[in-house]
Amino acid sequence: MTYGVKLQVWGEYACFTRPEMKVERASYDVMTPSAARAVLEAIYWKPAIRWAVDRIHVLRPIRFMNIRRNEVANKIPLGNVTKAMKNESSTLALYIEDDRQQRAGLILKDVCYGVEAHFEYVGGDDRNDGKHLDSFNRRARDGQCFTQPYLGCREFSANFKLVDEFLQSPLKGEQDLGWMLHDIDFACDMEARFFRAKMIDGVIEVPPFISKGVSG
Amino acid sequence: MILQALCGFYDRLINDSSKQVALFGFSTENIDFVARLNKKGNLLDFVDLRELKDKKMVRKSIIVPKPPKKRTSGITSYFAWDKTDYVLGCTIDKDGNTIFKLDQFFEFKKQLGEICGDSKDEGIVALMRFAETWQTENAPMLPNWPEIAGKNVVFQLDGELGYIHDRPAAKEAWLTFLANSADDESKDAMCLVSGKFCPIANLHPPIFGVKDAHISGAGIVNFNKSSFTSYNKEQNLNAPVGIQPAFSYATALNHLLRRESKQKIQIADATTVYWTERDSPVESTFGFILDPSDTSGGDAQMAVYLDAIREGKLPPDIDGSMRFFILGLSANGPRLSIRFWYASTVKDISERIGQHFSDLAMIRSFDSDPEYPGMWHLLKETTNRKSSEGPPPLLAGAVVQAILNGTPYPRALLSAVIGRIRADQNLNYMRAAIIKAVLARNNRILGHGTEVPMALDKENKNIAYLLGRLFATLEKAQKDAIPGANATIKDRFYGSASSTPRVVFPQLLRLGQHHIEKAEFGWVRDKQIEEIIGSIREFPAHMSLDQQGLFAIGYYHQRQDFFTKKDNSKEEGAQQ
């Protein structure tokens, strides 16, 4: 609908967690559209716009590694929080020593992706192509971001760079990646939406969120 | 991808009549006894279904009706089979005292009535009559009651071969009941396996057979703590999978993990299963390849295959383009984590494995040394033989990943093996092979390092290799001079010689001179030392890990050479 942007994103580690293996994390082979959207939003976002990812280029070979981490098992119940808010003297804490769970992870190593995306307007306000595009480009060029962009999980920070053209991907041939998470439908009970991902010579075409290509 | 591939495998299994796989609504369970009834519903006797295998009583695997949901708490009976708590209303506790479970028996009766209350089928009628007339007090009076109590029981009509639950009328009644009692509380959403909008399974069927997992089953998709859930979604709604696909993948995985499965092996702590898209002989041979100590593969055929792939060729009768899947699972209590997942073709896998064995090729010290070492042989060399702990689990997974991806072996492997050599001064064939494999692979893939020879290479001028050879020669000189010494220079000096040669070698050479004087054919050693030193300009102050590896290989090659030459020199000695 409006102008597109091209952003190169890379990092040492990445974990685009599969929903079905969310506990003992296993990553998808490539970046999910929702993760790409998160990177773009971290750089520039306003309530008037919504980022839509068009294409994802995989610019480095896909490599996995295994890690194990100690994490917290439970969430603090809402009741405890409200009690602490009302009653200043009660302490609100969660001690990992009592509440440890070891979770393994099959994560990606040394990743680099090229994200092609454009933004769309959510409502009637602030429809100003030039302004939004310029802001994004300026911020991306200067390395500005609201929060540190990350690759799937927050602990895997991402580096980004605005580019005109992407390098050739080292991957060749067609690969069917199965049903991949497209994004979460926040408007509709946080349901997950999936699409059939096919990688051709390292490029994945991402269908628009509301379309026949995305079921749910 | 993983769940989808498993569902694809399930579809292949149900179409293959030679495999025993349960359809939706059924499950393969371990059954101990069958209770035989006559047509009037009287209990005749119990027949033991268990068999003695490998000195253990193994229960029989039978396909029985079972709803896809796991039985967790509360009293729910299975249809036409269950443990004696339900079927007879009686069991024994751990002290051996009989306890009656009247509620459970009532549930069993009720279930029967609900499912097939008005059936006219002989077997079902007999079963229902049994349920009506059975008095739970009679249970302890059964012959060999202590053995039967608490175990799984199926039913059989006297004179018939099949079980009552297998009768067509029973199956039909069960499936109708299942369809009607489909959970109203199950929500509809998009299934991530099939892509269809369908009822989502709240809990998936449990997976059995992974080492060190919970006995009552574990799950890949398992959200058993609140911190794992998102957006307030409960349990498996966090990862929407349809009820049918959930059953399919779980049944397929359980089939691969069953006790007598030829498609699973253990790699350190990861239980690994593998399968091909269609039937192929490679499916059963893959386990042997990764673990050749398992001799069930048929040695001659295996040897042919292994020789072929080491050369980089594929035997003609194997279809290379077929897809091949490998899944490594490791247990973390009630959850399973994916240690690795590899989806490729048979040709690809064969190439990678062939490359691995080609990298490992090394001159052997004894004829009993395996030419194609399995994973276990390799990983054993990284641990202290006296310690009962296995190799670090992440290392095993990393090595398998390296083999399958064709990437360099993990650095940890090299440092672990070199560390062990320095600790126990034992440099055997396996360790030398591992070091050579790591270095050769690095050389080939990353392009740096040197060519690593398979057997003694006198032309090789690499300083670390020469020093290893020199060390072996000096050790031999000492052995010739003082046969039967308790501590050779290897025990005292190996560590420092391989890491800081400049400090140690001058002293060793001086010692060597004394040994040469003392030994009968010391002048032979002297000449060899001269030959080696001729190519050394100076002793390096210290050597890197890679160089220490080359040192070890040089030492091993030279030593092997002495052993084979020994016969010759003895002859020479005799002639002279």
Side-chain angles (χ1 to χ4, degrees):
Chain A
M1 279 197 206
T2 45
Y3 302 97
V5 296
K6 285 199 168 85
L7 191 73
Q8 188 172 319
V9 183
W10 70 97
E12 279 176 17
Y13 306 105
C15 185
F16 307 108
T17 327
R18 293 175 174 276
E20 66 267 24
M21 279 127 202
K22 218 175 358 171
V23 184
E24 306 289 333
R25 294 182 192 280
S27 172
Y28 278 113
D29 289 20
V30 298
M31 192 180 212
T32 53
S34 67
R37 172 184 60 77
V39 172
L40 295 164
E41 283 180 0
I43 298 172
Y44 176 73
W45 178 80
K46 285 245 176 311
I49 65 168
R50 179 176 72 84
W51 285 105
V53 179
D54 297 318
R55 222 165 279 113
I56 294 178
H57 299 248
V58 183
L59 300 173
R60 296 202 61 183
I62 298 172
R63 286 168 54 189
F64 285 95
M65 70 177 261
N66 267 306
I67 54 171
R68 276 205 152 173
R69 296 178 287 185
N70 285 330
E71 298 183 21
V72 175
N74 289 304
K75 293 197 242 207
I76 300 180
L78 186 58
N80 289 17
V81 179
T82 48
K83 208 161 65 151
M85 277 163 55
K86 283 191 219 143
N87 182 355
E88 294 102 8
S89 54
S90 77
T91 46
L92 188 65
L94 188 61
Y95 296 104
I96 180 148
E97 294 84 3
D98 305 326
D99 208 22
R100 215 186 289 265
Q101 276 286 320
Q102 192 175 74
R103 288 164 75 173
L106 185 63
I107 63 178
L108 293 165
K109 209 160 67 136
D110 282 333
V111 295
C112 182
Y113 300 106
V115 177
E116 273 183 65
H118 66 271
F119 57 87
E120 293 169 357
Y121 293 107
V122 171
D125 315 324
D126 206 8
R127 283 179 172 251
N128 190 339
D129 288 352
K131 165 179 132 179
H132 295 301
L133 192 61
D134 269 346
S135 297
F136 177 83
N137 284 334
R138 180 180 28 91
R139 291 173 68 84
R141 215 173 289 124
D142 292 346
Q144 285 179 285
C145 52
F146 298 123
T147 58
Q148 176 70 32
Y150 54 89
L151 295 164
C153 293
R154 235 173 240 244
E155 57 266 29
F156 305 127
S157 301
N159 306 302
F160 59 90
K161 187 166 84 166
L162 193 68
V163 291
D164 292 322
E165 282 306 322
F166 295 122
L167 302 167
Q168 185 71 359
S169 164
L171 302 169
K172 294 276 170 288
E174 179 173 328
Q175 207 182 339
D176 179 14
L177 299 169
W179 289 98
M180 193 156 109
L181 181 74
H182 190 298
D183 215 327
I184 304 274
D185 194 351
F186 297 105
C188 193
D189 199 27
M190 313 300 189
E191 297 240 322
R193 300 272 179 258
F194 300 90
F195 75 105
R196 195 85 208 208
K198 280 207 188 359
M199 182 164 69
I200 303 177
D201 284 345
V203 181
I204 302 164
E205 294 281 337
V206 180
F209 192 54
I210 306 176
S211 71
K212 273 216 312 237
V214 179
S215 306
Chain B
M1 260 232 74
I2 300 178
L3 300 187
Q4 271 175 274
L6 282 170
C7 284
F9 181 60
Y10 177 75
D11 289 334
R12 197 192 112 194
L13 284 177
I14 49 176
N15 289 328
D16 184 346
S17 53
S18 66
K19 309 266 198 300
Q20 269 251 319
V21 170
L23 292 172
F24 185 72
F26 297 83
S27 165
T28 312
E29 298 290 323
N30 290 323
I31 308 291
D32 307 84
F33 288 92
V34 57
R36 298 198 309 133
L37 309 172
N38 69 7
K39 295 213 180 72
K40 290 210 272 276
N42 297 338
L43 177 63
L44 295 172
D45 58 12
F46 280 85
V47 178
D48 195 339
L49 288 173
R50 297 172 298 183
E51 285 172 358
L52 199 60
K53 263 197 200 147
D54 293 331
K55 301 186 203 142
K56 273 204 311 220
M57 288 301 260
V58 169
R59 309 193 286 180
K60 193 163 163 125
S61 291
I62 302 183
I63 295 185
V64 290
K66 190 170 174 201
K69 269 195 358 187
K70 196 163 128 166
R71 174 164 74 188
T72 42
S73 57
I75 300 179
T76 44
S77 169
Y78 292 134
F79 170 58
W81 74 278
D82 210 322
K83 42 189 185 168
T84 60
D85 300 33
Y86 286 86
V87 160
L88 300 177
C90 188
T91 184
I92 43 174
D93 65 11
K94 43 187 191 308
D95 300 319
N97 302 325
T98 307
I99 26 176
F100 290 100
K101 303 254 181 177
L102 296 172
D103 288 332
Q104 275 85 337
F105 182 60
F106 182 70
E107 260 306 306
F108 176 66
K109 252 199 314 209
K110 203 172 98 172
Q111 264 265 340
L112 279 180
E114 269 178 28
I115 297 176
C116 49
D118 50 0
S119 171
K120 301 280 183 297
D121 179 270
E122 268 189 329
I124 298 184
V125 164
L127 184 55
M128 295 193 47
R129 284 221 188 100
F130 163 77
E132 293 294 317
T133 57
W134 173 254
Q135 303 295 328
T136 51
E137 302 85 53
N138 293 344
M141 268 129 33
L142 290 167
N144 50 350
W145 166 243
E147 272 206 41
I148 303 177
K151 301 279 182 3
N152 284 336
V153 175
V154 289
F155 289 93
Q156 192 181 44
L157 197 57
D158 183 28
E160 301 265 333
L161 279 177
Y163 304 114
I164 293 187
H165 64 258
D166 271 335
R167 300 174 78 94
K171 276 191 181 162
E172 210 186 293
W174 167 244
L175 286 173
T176 322
F177 175 73
L178 248 197
N180 291 340
S181 73
D183 255 326
D184 300 312
E185 36 177 78
S186 70
K187 298 184 61 180
D188 278 17
M190 183 185 169
C191 165
L192 55 79
V193 172
S194 61
K196 298 209 223 13
F197 202 72
C198 61
I200 298 299
N202 212 6
L203 282 175
H204 295 183
I207 311 286
F208 299 95
V210 179
K211 186 155 180 260
D212 293 334
H214 266 192
I215 300 186
S216 58
I220 298 177
V221 192
N222 192 336
F223 296 84
N224 60 338
K225 292 270 184 232
S226 63
S227 66
F228 307 150
T229 60
S230 300
Y231 300 124
N232 283 326
K233 292 192 194 275
E234 301 249 322
Q235 297 187 319
N236 287 18
L237 293 177
N238 280 285
V241 181
I243 296 186
Q244 282 263 15
F247 174 81
S248 300
Y249 93 74
T251 312
L253 192 51
N254 276 323
H255 177 81
L256 287 167
L257 288 167
R258 70 193 193 282
R259 194 205 314 271
E260 63 278 2
S261 167
K262 289 243 180 310
Q263 295 175 252
K264 88 168 172 181
I265 48 167
Q266 192 73 26
I267 301 179
D269 77 330
T271 307
T272 313
V273 291
Y274 38 89
W275 69 98
T276 45
E277 216 176 352
R278 294 183 303 280
D279 264 335
S280 161
V282 181
E283 232 175 358
S284 44
T285 58
F286 185 71
F288 185 75
I289 290 166
L290 276 191
D291 197 7
S293 60
D294 178 307
T295 50
S296 61
D299 285 305
Q301 199 192 25
M302 210 40 48
V304 165
Y305 179 74
L306 288 170
D307 286 337
I309 59 172
R310 193 162 69 173
E311 301 291 313
K313 301 194 271 279
L314 200 62
D317 58 338
I318 296 189
D319 176 8
S321 63
M322 194 159 39
R323 299 207 70 191
F324 192 107
F325 304 100
I326 306 174
L327 175 64
L329 295 166
S330 107
N332 187 3
R335 298 192 299 271
L336 299 176
S337 71
I338 311 279
R339 205 21 91 69
F340 46 79
W341 161 248
Y342 198 69
S344 180
T345 55
V346 167
K347 174 161 171 289
D348 217 21
I349 300 263
S350 300
E351 261 173 33
R352 295 285 159 81
I353 296 183
Q355 190 69 74
H356 162 69
F357 282 127
S358 152
D359 285 333
L360 268 177
M362 169 65 77
I363 185 165
R364 295 184 283 164
S365 10
F366 305 106
D367 280 328
S368 62
D369 281 334
E371 203 180 331
Y372 297 103
M375 281 301 297
W376 183 75
H377 292 126
L378 300 179
L379 294 173
K380 196 168 60 105
E381 298 301 334
T382 63
T383 63
N384 186 347
R385 212 152 292 187
K386 299 201 194 105
S387 126
S388 55
E389 275 177 29
L394 289 182
L395 183 62
V399 174
V400 175
Q401 286 242 28
I403 297 176
L404 296 176
N405 285 326
T407 50
Y409 296 114
R411 200 94 184 128
L413 185 62
L414 181 64
S415 52
V417 171
I418 291 190
R420 285 302 338 141
I421 295 175
R422 287 173 61 164
D424 57 24
Q425 283 94 37
N426 179 15
L427 213 180
N428 54 21
Y429 154 74
M430 199 60 62
R431 291 179 179 178
I434 296 174
I435 296 174
K436 183 229 167 199
V438 177
L439 295 175
R441 218 161 154 107
N442 278 349
N443 183 38
R444 197 184 61 242
I445 297 176
L446 303 174
H448 60 63
T450 51
E451 281 274 332
V452 186
M454 195 181 118
L456 183 62
D457 179 8
K458 294 220 170 114
E459 307 302 318
N460 194 323
K461 298 283 178 260
N462 182 290
I463 182 70
Y465 188 74
L466 288 170
L467 286 175
R469 286 184 57 201
L470 183 57
F471 193 81
T473 318
L474 289 168
E475 187 200 3
K476 189 75 172 60
Q478 184 189 32
K479 277 211 182 114
D480 288 343
I482 317 170
N486 277 339
T488 61
I489 55 168
K490 180 175 93 168
D491 302 314
R492 295 245 179 79
F493 291 106
Y494 183 89
S496 38
S498 70
S499 50
T500 52
R502 189 178 290 174
V503 174
V504 171
F505 268 98
Q507 185 186 4
L508 289 176
L509 285 168
R510 220 185 25 233
L511 277 176
Q513 291 306 314
H514 295 301
H515 296 145
I516 288 167
E517 275 172 27
K518 220 179 143 195
E520 206 180 331
F521 291 102
W523 58 272
V524 178
R525 300 286 158 252
D526 205 19
K527 279 200 69 180
Q528 284 169 335
I529 293 174
E530 213 183 284
E531 179 210 327
I532 298 174
I533 293 198
S535 313
I536 301 180
R537 275 214 315 258
E538 60 161 3
F539 294 115
H542 80 92
M543 302 225 277
S544 70
L545 196 67
D546 282 1
Q547 286 177 307
Q548 289 182 36
L550 270 175
F551 181 97
I553 293 183
Y555 173 81
Y556 178 78
H557 281 165
Q558 188 66 62
R559 236 191 21 191
Q560 281 313 106
D561 192 57
F562 285 142
F563 277 121
T564 48
K565 270 240 192 102
K566 209 169 160 177
D567 304 304
N568 292 344
S569 63
K570 263 202 174 143
E571 280 177 23
E572 281 173 30
Q575 279 170 6
Q576 286 178 350

